[in-house]
Amino acid sequence: MTTRSRHAIVLAAGRGTRLGRGPKALLPWNGEVLVTRAARAAAEAGCSVTVAVGPAARTARSWLRARCPAAHVVEVHDAQLGMSASLRAAVLPLVVTDAPPHAVVVLLVDQPGVDASVIRRLFAAHVPGRVTRATWHGVPGNPVVFGTGELCSAAALAEGDAAARAWIARNRHLVDDVECADLGRGDDIDEPADLASWPELRIPR
């Protein structure tokens, strides 16, 4: 798979309601914020990048211009509907382009343990017509690599905060799981207790 065939979507439009510290995309991380960390990881893995942003979109755009200027930013105006809305907004540019990527990795902004090495492994294992999903100590999770056609179908099925989950459940026979725990961590940041696992997050009390 060539570099130009790789694309990444970063889902970063959530409000961070359960965490209670505003949009998770803007959580500070080693001198930057989570949205730029995710976008840069994708770029370092050889991907073109689309970032779906919601609340505080202006601030997110400013950070991305400074730290990952090649990223294409899509504002999700119905972000309150959940990750499904973010996925649809990010997929739309792929539908209308004359040269869609061969494969797309879908990344969650609140998984700081996913770096370029994880993304590269998933792309290296990806087989056209199938879906490649990261597992963490045997537990299926994210990121996930799709062909563009499969991803468009997944976006059409998505509802609420489930993103591509409904499509994967219907098409489990097309999903290849790839262990990634030796490269990083797959846990995400949803609730205040999760912050203790990440000393890199410098959040004032």
Side-chain angles (χ1 to χ4, degrees), residues 94 97-101:
L94 306 183
T97 184
D98 292 333

Side-chain angles (χ1 to χ4, degrees), residues 20-155:
R21 295 184 183 268
K24 288 185 282 186
L26 300 181
L27 288 177
W29 177 271
N30 285 348
E32 57 181 321
V33 292
L34 286 188
V35 69
T36 58
R37 187 218 62 82
R40 288 194 309 102
E44 289 168 8
C47 300
S48 54
V49 184
T50 295
V51 182
V53 299
R58 181 178 298 180
T59 303
R61 285 179 182 273
S62 178
W63 271 103
L64 286 161
R65 280 196 299 270
R67 298 303 298 264
C68 191
H72 174 65
V73 179
V74 173
E75 190 166 347
V76 186
H77 298 288
D78 54 351
Q80 74 279 1
L81 298 179
M83 281 195 292
S84 58
S86 298
L87 184 62
R88 284 191 293 272
V91 165
L92 183 59
L94 306 183
V95 175
V96 299
T97 184
D98 292 333
H102 295 162
V104 183
V105 61
V106 179
L107 303 164
L108 306 184
V109 75
D110 62 349
Q111 281 188 299
V114 173
D115 63 12
S117 65
V118 173
I119 299 168
R120 290 190 196 101
R121 176 175 289 180
L122 294 175
F123 274 114
H126 183 68
V127 176
R130 298 187 63 79
V131 169
T132 309
R133 176 174 61 180
T135 63
W136 304 94
H137 299 290
V139 179
N142 291 288
V144 184
V145 176
F146 294 84
T148 300
E150 288 78 18
L151 183 58
C152 291
S153 297

